Coordinates of all heavy atoms in Angstrom, one line a residue:
D140 N 121.3 1.3 42.8 CA 122.6 0.9 42.6 C 122.8 -0.6 42.4 O 123.5 -1.0 41.5 CB 123.5 1.4 43.7 CG 123.6 2.9 43.8 OD1 123.3 3.6 42.8 OD2 124.0 3.4 44.9
E141 N 122.1 -1.3 43.2 CA 122.1 -2.8 43.2 C 121.6 -3.3 41.9 O 122.0 -4.4 41.4 CB 121.4 -3.3 44.4 CG 121.7 -4.8 44.7 CD 123.1 -5.0 45.3 OE1 123.8 -4.0 45.6 OE2 123.6 -6.1 45.4
L142 N 120.6 -2.7 41.3 CA 120.0 -3.2 40.1 C 121.0 -3.3 39.0 O 120.9 -4.2 38.1 CB 118.9 -2.2 39.6 CG 117.6 -2.2 40.5 CD1 116.6 -1.1 39.9 CD2 116.9 -3.5 40.6
N143 N 122.0 -2.5 39.0 CA 123.0 -2.5 38.0 C 124.3 -3.3 38.4 O 125.3 -3.3 37.7 CB 123.4 -1.1 37.5 CG 122.2 -0.5 36.8 OD1 121.8 -0.9 35.8 ND2 121.7 0.6 37.3
K144 N 124.2 -3.9 39.5 CA 125.4 -4.7 40.0 C 125.0 -6.2 40.2 O 124.9 -6.9 39.2 CB 126.0 -4.1 41.3 CG 126.6 -2.7 41.0 CD 127.4 -2.2 42.3 CE 126.5 -2.1 43.5 NZ 127.3 -1.6 44.7
S145 N 124.9 -6.6 41.4 CA 124.7 -8.0 41.7 C 123.3 -8.5 41.2 O 123.2 -9.7 40.8 CB 124.8 -8.2 43.2 OG 123.7 -7.6 43.9
I146 N 122.3 -7.6 41.1 CA 121.0 -8.1 40.7 C 121.1 -8.5 39.2 O 120.5 -9.4 38.7 CB 119.9 -7.1 40.9 CG1 119.6 -7.0 42.4 CG2 118.6 -7.4 40.1 CD1 118.5 -6.1 42.8
K147 N 121.9 -7.7 38.5 CA 122.1 -8.1 37.0 C 122.7 -9.5 36.9 O 122.2 -10.3 36.1 CB 123.0 -7.1 36.4 CG 123.2 -7.3 34.9 CD 124.0 -6.2 34.2 CE 124.2 -6.5 32.7 NZ 125.0 -5.4 32.1
N148 N 123.7 -9.8 37.7 CA 124.3 -11.1 37.7 C 123.4 -12.1 38.2 O 123.3 -13.3 37.7 CB 125.6 -11.1 38.6 CG 126.7 -10.2 38.0 OD1 126.8 -10.0 36.8 ND2 127.5 -9.6 38.9
Q149 N 122.6 -11.8 39.2 CA 121.6 -12.7 39.8 C 120.6 -13.1 38.7 O 120.2 -14.2 38.6 CB 120.9 -12.0 41.0 CG 120.0 -12.9 41.8 CD 119.4 -12.1 42.9 OE1 118.5 -11.4 42.7 NE2 119.9 -12.3 44.2
L150 N 120.1 -12.1 38.0 CA 119.1 -12.4 36.9 C 119.7 -13.3 35.9 O 119.0 -14.2 35.4 CB 118.6 -11.1 36.3 CG 117.7 -10.2 37.1 CD1 117.5 -8.9 36.4 CD2 116.3 -10.9 37.3
E151 N 120.9 -13.1 35.5 CA 121.6 -13.9 34.6 C 121.7 -15.4 35.1 O 121.5 -16.3 34.3 CB 123.0 -13.4 34.2 CG 122.9 -12.1 33.4 CD 122.3 -12.3 32.0 OE1 122.3 -13.4 31.5 OE2 121.8 -11.3 31.5
S152 N 121.9 -15.5 36.4 CA 122.0 -16.9 37.0 C 120.7 -17.5 37.0 O 120.6 -18.8 36.9 CB 122.6 -16.8 38.4 OG 121.7 -16.2 39.3
F153 N 119.6 -16.7 37.2 CA 118.3 -17.3 37.2 C 117.8 -17.9 35.9 O 116.9 -18.6 35.8 CB 117.3 -16.3 37.6 CG 117.3 -15.9 39.1 CD1 116.8 -14.7 39.6 CD2 118.0 -16.7 40.0 CE1 116.9 -14.4 40.9 CE2 118.0 -16.4 41.4 CZ 117.5 -15.2 41.8
K154 N 118.6 -17.5 34.8 CA 118.2 -18.0 33.5 C 118.3 -19.5 33.4 O 117.7 -20.1 32.5 CB 119.1 -17.4 32.4 CG 118.6 -16.0 31.9 CD 119.3 -15.6 30.6 CE 118.6 -14.4 30.0 NZ 119.2 -14.0 28.7
S155 N 119.0 -20.1 34.3 CA 119.2 -21.6 34.3 C 117.9 -22.3 34.5 O 117.7 -23.4 34.0 CB 120.2 -22.0 35.4 OG 119.7 -21.7 36.7
F156 N 116.9 -21.6 35.2 CA 115.6 -22.2 35.3 C 114.5 -21.3 34.7 O 113.4 -21.8 34.5 CB 115.3 -22.6 36.7 CG 115.4 -21.5 37.7 CD1 114.4 -20.6 37.9 CD2 116.5 -21.3 38.5 CE1 114.5 -19.5 38.8 CE2 116.6 -20.3 39.4 CZ 115.6 -19.4 39.5
G157 N 114.8 -20.1 34.5 CA 113.8 -19.2 33.9 C 113.8 -19.1 32.4 O 112.8 -18.8 31.8
G158 N 115.0 -19.4 31.8 CA 115.1 -19.5 30.4 C 114.9 -18.1 29.8 O 115.1 -17.0 30.4
E159 N 114.4 -18.1 28.5 CA 114.1 -16.9 27.8 C 112.9 -16.1 28.4 O 112.6 -15.0 28.0 CB 113.9 -17.2 26.3 CG 115.1 -17.7 25.6 CD 116.3 -16.7 25.8 OE1 116.1 -15.5 25.6 OE2 117.4 -17.2 26.1
D160 N 112.1 -16.8 29.2 CA 110.9 -16.1 29.8 C 111.3 -15.1 30.8 O 110.6 -14.2 31.2 CB 110.0 -17.2 30.5 CG 108.6 -16.6 30.8 OD1 108.2 -15.7 30.1 OD2 108.1 -17.1 31.8
L161 N 112.6 -15.2 31.4 CA 113.0 -14.3 32.4 C 113.5 -13.0 31.7 O 114.2 -13.0 30.8 CB 114.2 -14.9 33.1 CG 114.7 -14.1 34.3 CD1 113.7 -14.0 35.4 CD2 116.0 -14.7 34.8
D162 N 112.9 -11.9 32.2 CA 113.2 -10.5 31.6 C 114.5 -10.0 32.3 O 114.4 -9.6 33.5 CB 112.0 -9.6 31.8 CG 112.2 -8.3 31.0 OD1 113.3 -8.0 30.6 OD2 111.2 -7.6 30.9
C163 N 115.6 -9.9 31.7 CA 116.8 -9.4 32.3 C 117.1 -8.0 31.9 O 118.2 -7.5 32.2 CB 118.0 -10.3 31.9 SG 117.9 -12.0 32.6
R164 N 116.2 -7.3 31.3 CA 116.4 -5.9 31.0 C 116.4 -5.1 32.3 O 115.6 -5.3 33.1 CB 115.3 -5.4 30.0 CG 115.3 -6.1 28.7 CD 114.1 -5.6 27.9 NE 112.8 -6.1 28.5 CZ 111.6 -5.7 28.1 NH1 111.5 -4.9 27.1 NH2 110.5 -6.2 28.7
L165 N 117.3 -4.1 32.3 CA 117.4 -3.3 33.5 C 117.0 -1.9 33.2 O 117.3 -1.4 32.1 CB 118.8 -3.3 34.0 CG 119.4 -4.6 34.5 CD1 120.8 -4.5 35.0 CD2 118.5 -5.1 35.7
V166 N 116.2 -1.3 34.1 CA 115.7 0.1 33.9 C 116.1 0.9 35.1 O 115.8 0.5 36.2 CB 114.2 0.1 33.6 CG1 113.7 1.5 33.6 CG2 113.9 -0.7 32.4
D167 N 116.7 2.0 34.9 CA 117.0 2.9 36.1 C 115.7 3.6 36.6 O 114.9 4.0 35.8 CB 118.0 4.0 35.7 CG 119.3 3.5 35.4 OD1 119.7 2.5 36.0 OD2 120.0 4.0 34.5
P168 N 115.5 3.6 37.9 CA 114.3 4.3 38.5 C 114.3 5.8 38.1 O 115.3 6.4 37.9 CB 114.5 4.1 40.0 CG 115.4 2.9 40.1 CD 116.3 3.0 38.9
T169 N 113.1 6.3 37.9 CA 112.9 7.7 37.6 C 112.8 8.6 38.8 O 113.1 9.8 38.8 CB 111.7 7.9 36.7 OG1 110.5 7.4 37.4 CG2 111.8 7.2 35.4
N170 N 112.4 8.0 39.9 CA 112.2 8.7 41.2 C 113.0 8.0 42.3 O 112.6 6.9 42.7 CB 110.7 8.8 41.5 CG 109.9 9.5 40.5 OD1 109.8 9.0 39.3 ND2 109.3 10.6 40.8
I171 N 114.0 8.7 42.9 CA 114.7 8.1 44.0 C 114.1 8.5 45.3 O 113.9 9.6 45.6 CB 116.2 8.6 44.0 CG1 116.9 8.1 42.7 CG2 117.0 8.0 45.2 CD1 117.0 6.6 42.5
L172 N 113.8 7.4 46.1 CA 113.1 7.7 47.4 C 114.2 7.9 48.4 O 115.2 7.2 48.5 CB 112.3 6.4 47.8 CG 111.2 6.0 46.9 CD1 110.6 4.7 47.2 CD2 110.1 7.1 46.9
K173 N 114.0 9.0 49.2 CA 114.9 9.4 50.3 C 114.3 9.6 51.6 O 114.9 9.4 52.7 CB 115.7 10.7 49.8 CG 116.5 10.5 48.5 CD 117.1 11.9 48.2 CE 117.9 11.8 46.8 NZ 118.4 13.1 46.4
D174 N 113.1 10.1 51.6 CA 112.4 10.5 52.9 C 111.7 9.4 53.6 O 111.4 8.4 53.0 CB 111.4 11.7 52.6 CG 112.1 12.9 51.9 OD1 113.2 13.2 52.3 OD2 111.4 13.5 51.1
K175 N 111.5 9.6 54.9 CA 110.8 8.6 55.6 C 109.3 8.6 55.3 O 108.7 7.5 55.2 CB 111.0 8.9 57.1 CG 110.2 7.9 58.0 CD 110.4 8.1 59.5 CE 109.6 7.1 60.3 NZ 109.7 7.4 61.8
N176 N 108.8 9.8 55.1 CA 107.3 9.9 54.8 C 107.2 10.3 53.3 O 107.7 11.4 53.0 CB 106.6 10.9 55.7 CG 106.7 10.4 57.2 OD1 106.0 9.5 57.5 ND2 107.5 11.1 58.0
V177 N 106.5 9.5 52.6 CA 106.3 9.8 51.1 C 104.9 9.5 50.7 O 104.3 8.5 51.2 CB 107.3 8.9 50.3 CG1 107.0 9.1 48.8 CG2 108.7 9.1 50.6
T178 N 104.3 10.4 49.9 CA 103.0 10.2 49.4 C 103.1 9.9 47.9 O 103.6 10.7 47.2 CB 102.1 11.4 49.7 OG1 102.0 11.7 51.1 CG2 100.7 11.2 49.1
I179 N 102.5 8.8 47.5 CA 102.5 8.4 46.1 C 101.0 8.1 45.7 O 100.4 7.2 46.4 CB 103.4 7.2 45.8 CG1 104.8 7.5 46.3 CG2 103.4 6.9 44.3 CD1 105.7 6.3 46.1
E180 N 100.5 8.8 44.8 CA 99.1 8.6 44.3 C 98.1 8.6 45.5 O 97.2 7.8 45.6 CB 99.0 7.3 43.6 CG 99.6 7.3 42.2 CD 99.0 8.4 41.3 OE1 97.8 8.4 41.1 OE2 99.8 9.2 40.8
G181 N 98.4 9.6 46.4 CA 97.5 9.8 47.5 C 97.6 8.8 48.7 O 96.9 8.9 49.7
I182 N 98.6 7.9 48.6 CA 98.8 6.9 49.7 C 100.0 7.4 50.5 O 101.1 7.6 49.9 CB 99.1 5.5 49.1 CG1 97.9 5.0 48.3 CG2 99.3 4.5 50.3 CD1 98.1 3.7 47.6
N183 N 99.8 7.5 51.8 CA 100.9 8.0 52.6 C 101.7 6.8 53.2 O 101.2 6.0 54.0 CB 100.3 8.8 53.8 CG 99.6 10.0 53.3 OD1 100.1 10.7 52.4 ND2 98.4 10.3 53.9
F184 N 103.0 6.7 52.7 CA 103.8 5.6 53.2 C 104.9 6.1 54.2 O 105.4 7.2 54.1 CB 104.6 5.1 51.9 CG 103.8 4.4 50.9 CD1 103.4 5.1 49.7 CD2 103.3 3.1 51.1 CE1 102.7 4.4 48.7 CE2 102.6 2.5 50.1 CZ 102.2 3.1 48.9
E185 N 105.2 5.2 55.1 CA 106.4 5.4 56.0 C 107.4 4.4 55.5 O 107.1 3.2 55.4 CB 106.0 5.2 57.4 CG 105.3 6.3 58.1 CD 105.2 6.1 59.6 OE1 105.7 5.1 60.1 OE2 104.5 7.0 60.3
I186 N 108.6 4.9 55.1 CA 109.5 4.0 54.5 C 110.7 3.8 55.4 O 111.3 4.7 56.0 CB 110.0 4.6 53.1 CG1 108.8 4.8 52.2 CG2 111.1 3.7 52.5 CD1 109.2 5.5 50.9
A187 N 111.1 2.5 55.5 CA 112.3 2.1 56.2 C 113.3 1.6 55.2 O 113.0 0.7 54.4 CB 112.1 1.0 57.3

Side-chain angles (χ1 to χ4, degrees):
D140 293 341
E141 196 72 9
L142 291 179
N143 290 300
K144 293 192 299 184
S145 66
I146 288 182
K147 182 177 181 179
N148 296 330
Q149 190 181 75
L150 284 171
E151 290 295 336
S152 70
F153 288 160
K154 274 195 169 183
S155 61
F156 55 82
E159 294 304 315
D160 192 31
L161 187 66
D162 190 348
C163 291
R164 295 174 294 173
L165 297 177
V166 175
D167 290 327
T169 57
N170 299 64
I171 298 298
L172 298 169
K173 299 177 181 178
D174 300 327
K175 178 180 179 180
N176 296 290
V177 176
T178 300
I179 305 174
E180 288 303 304
I182 303 174
N183 299 317
F184 294 102
E185 283 187 3
I186 303 179

